[in-house]
Amino acid sequence: MKKILMLMVIVLLAGCLRAENYDILGFRNDIFVMAEGYKITFYDKEPVLIKTELIEENNFKFNEAQTVYKGYSVLNTKVYRRDLYAQDLVRANKNGVLSSPGLPRKFSDKETFHVIGQVEIDGVEYRLVPDAIEGFAFLINNQGEFYNKAGQIKGSYLVLLENEFFPYPKDFRMININTNKAEQTKPTEGYDVKYDGVRLDRIWFTYLDYESGDRGTFENISFPNKSGLITINGVNMRVLQADNDKITYMLLK
């Protein structure tokens, strides 16, 4: 009999040790969260790229006499890429309160929130608005109306709290704010022709061919120093007067 009791004690101890290694209580908590909670689809916190456009700029003024000093552009054309980003935020439509038997939550119509993500409850999608207390969130439907319970975020699940919340005034809700920002790259293509004076009876220009990012290629080009027509990159230019300090010219269309 004593041997049987000793064997049972050894088995129980082994079971306890094994339970300690595998954290049975933690595993049971995870099962509870999954059973009682709602799966969260988290939103990306970074702004989303919604549009990319190419913008071309140039300084061409045709059939008009222009004077440019040494070191400045006579011909300049650049192509930029502009990326437009959007970010979805929400704010209260007015100052209001989510009243509760516990601690009421006040909202200002000047306060904005980044939506955490969304959950689905009884076939309805609700977005999660973060509470001032980290790890907790309020729920709003697609019309910005509040769900009557807040929730606690546990991992990738939302567990609803027991307390109920009621908006005051009754038409108090959240409204969407779409914020946009644009980022413009350095020139991705194009060229810049700068006047470089007169040397050895020739008119000199510095030609920069833009490439992606900071890269580009320089080239020095020259023409005889006399009034007449010259062509750079397919653009016809009539030189009216040139010296070491400045050049007067006209672009011909």
Side-chain angles (χ1 to χ4, degrees):
M1 185 67 176
K2 289 182 179 181
K3 291 183 179 180
I4 295 176
L5 289 174
M6 286 294 295
L7 182 60
M8 292 178 63
V9 169
I10 292 171
V11 171
L12 287 172
L13 287 174
C16 289
L17 292 173
R18 188 173 180 82
E20 182 180 354
N21 290 336
Y22 282 87
D23 189 10
I24 288 178
L25 292 178
F27 179 69
R28 289 178 59 187
N29 288 336
D30 290 342
I31 293 177
F32 171 80
V33 169
M34 294 175 63
E36 298 295 325
Y38 297 89
K39 181 70 174 177
I40 301 173
T41 300
F42 288 100
Y43 293 165
D44 191 348
K45 292 183 179 180
E46 298 299 321
V48 178
L49 178 65
I50 60 173
K51 184 180 180 181
T52 294
E53 56 187 2
L54 295 179
I55 300 171
E56 183 175 358
E57 296 179 355
N58 64 62
N59 67 342
F60 297 172
K61 295 180 181 179
F62 292 100
N63 303 322
E64 178 182 330
Q66 304 174 71
T67 298
V68 168
Y69 286 86
K70 185 177 180 180
Y72 290 87
S73 297
V74 295
L75 292 175
N76 185 299
T77 179
K78 303 174 183 177
V79 177
Y80 302 90
R81 189 186 79 243
R82 179 180 292 169
D83 296 330
L84 185 64
Y85 294 86
Q87 188 172 26
D88 291 331
L89 304 173
V90 295
R91 67 170 176 84
N93 64 335
K94 59 178 66 178
N95 295 336
V97 177
L98 283 180
S99 58
S100 167
L103 183 65
R105 173 65 161 92
K106 294 182 179 180
F107 290 86
S108 166
D109 61 1
K110 302 295 190 298
E111 191 177 11
T112 59
F113 300 89
H114 185 287
V115 179
I116 299 172
Q118 69 180 43
V119 296
E120 182 176 319
I121 301 176
D122 297 330
V124 179
E125 289 184 352
Y126 293 93
R127 289 176 292 165
L128 305 181
V129 178
D131 186 18
I133 303 175
E134 187 176 354
F136 291 83
F138 295 97
L139 289 72
I140 58 173
N141 62 17
N142 289 333
Q143 289 73 45
E145 299 166 337
F146 287 94
Y147 189 65
N148 65 346
K149 289 187 177 183
Q152 182 178 6
I153 299 171
K154 294 187 175 183
S156 57
Y157 286 84
L158 182 79
V159 177
L160 296 179
L161 305 179
E162 292 296 328
N163 287 354
E164 291 193 2
F165 291 85
F166 302 94
Y168 179 83
K170 286 187 177 181
D171 61 346
F172 168 58
R173 62 186 180 87
M174 288 287 176
I175 57 177
N176 296 328
I177 303 175
N178 294 321
T179 59
N180 297 328
K181 74 169 185 176
E183 292 183 357
Q184 186 166 292
T185 66
K186 293 182 178 181
T188 57
E189 57 182 278
Y191 60 89
D192 188 6
V193 181
K194 297 182 185 294
Y195 184 57
D196 198 27
V198 174
R199 298 189 299 276
L200 303 175
D201 204 30
R202 295 182 69 83
I203 303 171
W204 288 85
F205 301 91
T206 300
Y207 182 96
L208 169 62
D209 188 8
Y210 289 113
E211 297 178 11
S212 179
D214 295 327
R215 296 175 300 172
T217 57
F218 287 91
E219 180 184 358
N220 293 320
I221 56 177
S222 66
F223 301 89
N225 184 14
K226 62 181 180 179
S227 300
L229 185 68
I230 63 176
T231 301
I232 301 177
N233 248 22
V235 180
N236 294 322
M237 176 191 302
R238 183 174 298 280
V239 178
L240 303 178
Q241 185 179 359
D243 57 35
N244 197 47
D245 294 323
K246 60 184 182 296
I247 182 172
T248 300
Y249 64 99
M250 180 183 295
L251 300 182
L252 302 179
K253 198 165 187 177

